[in-house]
Amino acid sequence: MEIESLAMALEREHREIDAGIEAFTAEPGARESLERAVRALRRHIYLEEEFLFPALHAAGLTAPVLVMLRDHGQMWATLDALDAGAGPASCRRLSVQLLHHNLKEEKILYPELDRVVPEPQAGRLRAFLDSGEMPAEWVCLRARA
Ligand SMILES: [Fe+2]
Ligand SMILES: [Fe+2]
């Protein structure tokens, strides 16, 4: 069986997070699936900002990386609102933010990952997607005071 590439694993995580948000939008009682999606998205952003974007930046993809960092900062504010108990309107906002953001990442940045993040680093990051934990106090770059 073919090993899943890092890009494929990240795209799968995009879909899983979308599904968690949709479950809450469809049934606002399903707060647990929303909370799981929020946690997963924070960790996803952590992995991108700490491990992928520096490598993509070093490979010359500076402009798209800056756009992605700005998107993350905006999404992080929505995640904070959701953690503080915000309802479906914030959820819809997050869905729209993700729709645009994920599309850009998948079209522009993820196709470069095979080249820019080689094995065994890619394998370590896939393992992190399976079971890694974001440092508890970590905050995305553009959300720092
Ligand atoms: Fe991202
Ligand atoms: Fe992503």
Side-chain angles (χ1 to χ4, degrees), residues 14-34:
H14 283 172
R15 303 286 96 77
E16 288 166 2
I17 291 166
D18 287 344
I21 296 165
E22 275 159 31
F24 174 74
T25 312
E27 194 199 322
R31 191 98 206 168
E32 248 177 60
S33 56
L34 175 66

Side-chain angles (χ1 to χ4, degrees), residues 14 44-45 48 53 72 75 101 105 110:
H14 283 172
H44 184 97
I45 289 174
E48 289 179 342
F53 291 179
H72 284 178
M75 291 193 285
H101 178 77
E105 272 182 354
Y110 289 0

Side-chain angles (χ1 to χ4, degrees), residues 67-83:
V67 174
M68 295 306 117
L69 287 172
R70 189 197 59 198
D71 288 354
H72 284 178
Q74 291 168 352
M75 291 193 285
W76 200 265
T78 310
L79 295 177
D80 286 345
L82 288 167
D83 273 344

Side-chain angles (χ1 to χ4, degrees), residues 6 47 118-130:
L6 181 55
L47 178 132
E119 302 293 343
Q121 169 77 342
R124 281 196 288 272
L125 295 177
R126 282 195 304 274
F128 180 87
L129 285 173
D130 274 341

Side-chain angles (χ1 to χ4, degrees), residues 65-144:
V65 164
L66 287 174
V67 174
M68 295 306 117
L69 287 172
R70 189 197 59 198
D71 288 354
H72 284 178
Q74 291 168 352
M75 291 193 285
W76 200 265
T78 310
L79 295 177
D80 286 345
L82 288 167
D83 273 344
S90 293
C91 230
R92 280 193 294 277
R93 180 178 157 78
L94 183 62
S95 291
V96 173
Q97 288 171 323
L98 280 172
L99 183 72
H100 296 290
H101 178 77
N102 290 349
L103 198 70
K104 286 182 280 187
E105 272 182 354
E106 292 176 14
K107 291 274 171 281
I108 299 165
L109 291 180
Y110 289 0
E112 305 298 325
L113 287 176
D114 271 353
R115 180 172 68 86
V116 164
V117 183
E119 302 293 343
Q121 169 77 342
R124 281 196 288 272
L125 295 177
R126 282 195 304 274
F128 180 87
L129 285 173
D130 274 341
S131 57
E133 277 187 42
M134 182 186 95
E137 302 306 318
W138 192 86
V139 171
C140 100
L141 272 168
R142 291 291 184 271
R144 290 176 197 175

